[in-house]
Amino acid sequence: MAPIILYHNCVSTPSRFALLAFRNLGIDVEIRNVDLLKKEQLKPEFLKINPQHTVPTMDDNGFVLWESGAIAQYLAETYAKDSPLYPQDTKKKALVNQRLQFYLGTMLPRMRQVTHPILFEGLKEIPEVKRKLLYDAFGFLDQFLNGSDWLAGDHVTLADLSILANITTIVSFGADISEFKNLSAWAERCKTLPGYDENMEGVKMFTAFFKSFYDGKI
Ligand SMILES: N[C@@H](CCC(=O)N[C@@H](CS)C(=O)NCC(=O)O)C(=O)O
């Protein structure tokens, strides 16, 4: 069987989450870069496989899937059934799913509400109400980590990988998480995870781009 193809852009936070899932589950992947600045995602050949034109998109020998969380879950359930990254126990798995939904429904949108108007709408300042929502989300994460080293219990799960892609980005952009002691300690702990340095390469590129629009405090 040919390796799974990941249509990827290293600047994209969800795309880096999907790649972290491959790396931490130990699954071979062939990366195909999609240049979003050149709008390669809108080319007819890409639209044919993903009409929603987003990265990450995965092609497992003809089975095509997008949405970073769905990709990570598929990989774990198909190729790493016994992996603690996505536990079989229904309660443990439900907790991972809840955190993954927090990533998708709360963390990612709150980060984008702060960064996208700067990147795409010419805004020069971050509205205080948007900043507060982002920092509230940091506070929730800090509480999730009360009494445990990882976001969904005592070992790394897919939930940690999703938030890792996010937090490394927003901290590199200028957010200060030092008041959130559990979250800061967790961010340090994550540095040993497979794919961490690769994630940081994308973060660095994205940061250089972001800072060309805004170089202040987040
Ligand atoms: N919820 C999706 C978000 C994917 C997404 O928005 N990707 C952006 C890059 S961060 C993208 O591909 N944008 C290009 C476009 O929409 O045309 C996921 O988790 O995979």
Side-chain angles (χ1 to χ4, degrees):
M1 261 204 341
I4 301 173
I5 296 165
L6 182 69
Y7 294 93
H8 173 70
N9 186 296
C10 70
V11 159
S12 155
T13 299
S15 210
R16 279 184 277 109
F17 163 37
L19 189 55
L20 279 164
F22 276 98
R23 299 306 189 211
N24 283 266
L25 291 164
I27 298 169
D28 277 351
V29 59
E30 179 185 323
I31 296 172
R32 298 222 181 135
N33 190 56
V34 179
D35 191 329
L36 300 178
L37 286 179
K38 290 189 184 149
K39 301 268 177 230
E40 283 179 356
Q41 79 276 23
L42 301 179
K43 285 187 171 172
E45 54 270 32
F46 191 72
L47 290 176
K48 213 186 279 177
I49 60 166
N50 176 357
Q52 208 180 320
H53 51 81
T54 50
V55 290
T57 295
M58 178 210 82
D59 181 349
D60 183 4
N61 292 276
F63 175 64
V64 174
L65 194 65
W66 56 93
E67 284 294 337
S68 52
I71 293 171
Q73 287 163 319
Y74 168 80
L75 293 174
E77 294 198 307
T78 309
Y79 295 108
K81 269 199 166 62
D82 297 326
S83 170
L85 281 169
Y86 199 48
Q88 290 300 308
D89 175 85
T90 55
K91 289 195 173 68
K92 288 183 180 165
K93 182 179 279 192
L95 196 62
V96 177
N97 288 340
Q98 184 262 316
R99 305 305 198 224
L100 284 172
Q101 287 184 33
F102 179 83
Y103 148 76
L104 191 65
T106 302
M107 198 61 223
L108 189 61
R110 289 189 187 192
M111 178 174 135
R112 285 179 166 178
Q113 279 168 18
V114 164
T115 57
H116 278 200
I118 301 239
L119 287 170
F120 306 121
E121 294 161 21
L123 206 77
K124 298 289 176 216
E125 288 300 324
I126 295 167
E128 205 41 51
V129 64
K130 299 281 169 62
R131 176 181 282 121
K132 183 180 178 316
L133 283 169
L134 178 67
Y135 277 76
D136 285 350
F138 296 156
F140 296 140
L141 289 169
D142 204 64
Q143 289 178 47
F144 299 164
L145 286 160
N146 249 339
S148 67
D149 278 355
W150 302 100
L151 280 165
D154 57 5
H155 58 80
V156 182
T157 67
L158 296 181
D160 295 286
L161 306 180
S162 67
I163 297 292
L164 170 59
N166 238 294
I167 288 289
T168 48
T169 307
I170 200 71
V171 166
S172 177
F173 281 11
D176 179 7
I177 58 166
S178 58
E179 70 172 284
F180 305 100
K181 300 297 175 208
N182 296 329
L183 185 59
S184 301
W186 168 89
E188 275 303 306
R189 228 170 271 131
C190 286
K191 290 183 176 171
T192 58
L193 294 177
Y196 183 87
D197 292 343
E198 188 177 30
N199 171 68
M200 291 312 291
E201 284 168 27
V203 168
K204 262 187 210 142
M205 283 177 67
F206 197 11
T207 303
F209 184 65
F210 183 78
K211 285 193 183 279
S212 69
F213 294 90
Y214 177 88
D215 197 7
K217 178 181 166 306
I218 287 194

